[in-house]
Amino acid sequence: MQLSQAQIDFFETFGFLKFPQLMADRLDWIIEEFTRTFPEQNRHDGTKRTCVVPFIDQRMSVLIDDPRMLAIGKSLLGEDFNYMGSDGNYYTGNTGWHRDGYHEKYKHLKIAFYLDPLDADTGALRVIPGSHRLRDKYGDDLTLQMQDTNKTWDVAGADVPAYVLDVTPGDILVFNHNLFHSAWNGSTNRRMFTINMCQRYAEADIQELRDYIGTAARFWIDRAFSDTMMNEASPERMVHLEQVMANDGHLAALSAKARLEMAEPSRG
Ligand SMILES: O=C(O)CCC(=O)C(=O)O
């Protein structure tokens, strides 16, 4: 599989892409492994989001080798893109408007697998097309405007004009981390997991990558990737792991500190 130039241009312009039924042939396996990855003692009770990090690393590492995931990463980020971890979630209710990052130089993206059919009335992801473009006035102005949409425009979060990404399980959504996104009207049991990727960082900017990797300390993890993900890596997979593996040496100490300061690992 290869992305067309039109798909790449769409992603650059609007900040997202939808691939209907791209992973339909793997759906039964994905749902089974998704369910089994959540530990017994961490069953979702619907009161708040349950989140496991890293996620595909535990039972679905091979997803990172799937030609469809590789095509998305290589087409949008370059042949040597970095795998940047994953999270698995049972969401409860609304997720307010936010960006996942504010990356001015390096492109970061998220691949989202929603495992329930969703539309605008049941918690489908909504995005503000073009809001990932930090260096143009539209994206730049939104940074402040979106802090409180009621105050800015007298408009509630759920009523902000947005593109709704309806999903049928098996569909794949991809979005730039800088893109404003949210979800409204969802149940207390929305299943979803992600794969994150970014462009390879130049050596001159490696501290920025290290700082970003350090933010995973809130999940109380000592390495960015699981042993399985690293030990079973083929040479091809290793291309997408090695820059992060070489730069996560500070994570264990930061996680030790987080364990002292937090009552439980972060839920997102
Ligand atoms: O589906 C949701 O509730 C929000 C997903 C999201 O914000 C994310 O994955 O960054």
Side-chain angles (χ1 to χ4, degrees):
M1 174 185 147
Q2 265 199 318
L3 269 62
S4 67
Q5 191 56 48
Q7 286 174 311
I8 296 169
D9 291 346
F10 186 100
F11 183 81
E12 291 305 321
T13 303
F14 297 115
F16 66 96
L17 276 172
K18 174 175 168 178
F19 296 90
Q21 293 301 286
L22 184 67
M23 295 301 284
D25 63 322
R26 301 292 273 147
L27 188 60
D28 291 346
W29 172 77
I30 285 172
I31 290 180
E32 194 178 324
E33 298 302 345
F34 177 93
T35 308
R36 292 168 73 184
T37 303
F38 286 86
E40 270 313 318
Q41 69 275 18
N42 194 15
R43 286 280 168 245
H44 180 66
D45 68 7
T47 58
K48 51 192 168 185
R49 175 178 170 184
T50 302
C51 180
V52 168
V53 174
F55 193 72
I56 65 160
D57 292 45
Q58 315 214 20
R59 304 187 60 92
M60 293 190 273
S61 297
V62 292
L63 274 182
I64 200 67
D65 309 324
D66 188 287
R68 292 160 285 194
M69 299 300 109
L70 291 171
I72 290 169
K74 289 181 182 184
S75 301
L76 299 176
L77 303 169
E79 291 288 319
D80 54 355
F81 72 84
N82 287 330
Y83 167 55
M84 292 297 287
S86 65
D87 54 84
N89 306 280
Y90 283 91
Y91 277 102
T92 293
N94 299 332
T95 302
W97 288 106
H98 66 286
R99 288 176 165 133
D100 286 342
Y102 194 90
H103 303 285
E104 291 185 89
K105 187 161 177 185
Y106 293 92
K107 207 183 301 165
H108 287 241
L109 63 74
K110 179 173 274 185
I111 302 177
F113 296 64
Y114 281 93
L115 304 183
D116 301 286
L118 300 173
D119 61 22
D121 299 323
T122 55
L125 190 76
R126 301 173 187 206
V127 298
I128 300 189
S131 58
H132 63 300
R133 291 179 356 210
L134 304 181
R135 288 205 200 94
D136 79 19
K137 185 161 162 45
Y138 176 64
D140 195 32
D141 284 355
L142 282 171
T143 303
L144 261 185
Q145 290 166 330
M146 292 297 285
Q147 279 179 12
D148 185 344
T149 62
N150 278 301
K151 202 165 139 210
T152 308
W153 301 300
D154 203 12
V155 168
D159 298 325
V160 169
Y163 190 85
V164 178
L165 286 159
D166 291 359
V167 277
T168 302
D171 293 353
I172 294 301
L173 306 180
V174 182
F175 58 95
N176 187 308
H177 274 202
N178 293 345
L179 192 74
F180 270 108
H181 56 283
S182 67
W184 306 89
N185 313 316
S187 75
T188 56
N189 212 25
R190 260 182 322 124
R191 299 171 297 171
M192 179 266 217
F193 71 96
T194 69
I195 296 177
N196 291 285
M197 299 173 175
C198 76
Q199 289 177 307
R200 189 180 178 88
Y201 277 60
E203 275 315 303
D205 297 318
I206 215 69
Q207 190 55 44
E208 189 182 328
L209 179 68
R210 287 174 58 82
D211 291 346
Y212 184 76
I213 292 168
T215 63
R218 70 188 189 281
F219 299 111
W220 296 10
I221 55 176
D222 291 345
R223 297 290 316 261
F225 307 136
S226 74
D227 287 344
T228 315
M229 177 62 86
M230 295 187 285
N231 295 342
E232 294 177 3
S234 63
E236 156 96 64
R237 185 193 294 175
M238 201 45 94
V239 170
H240 309 297
L241 305 187
E242 53 102 4
Q243 190 173 44
V244 170
M245 285 170 62
N247 287 286
D248 73 348
H250 57 314
L251 189 52
L254 290 174
S255 288
K257 191 161 172 278
R259 282 189 194 94
L260 296 176
E261 292 165 353
M262 298 165 66
E264 60 170 14
S266 174
R267 287 173 179 267

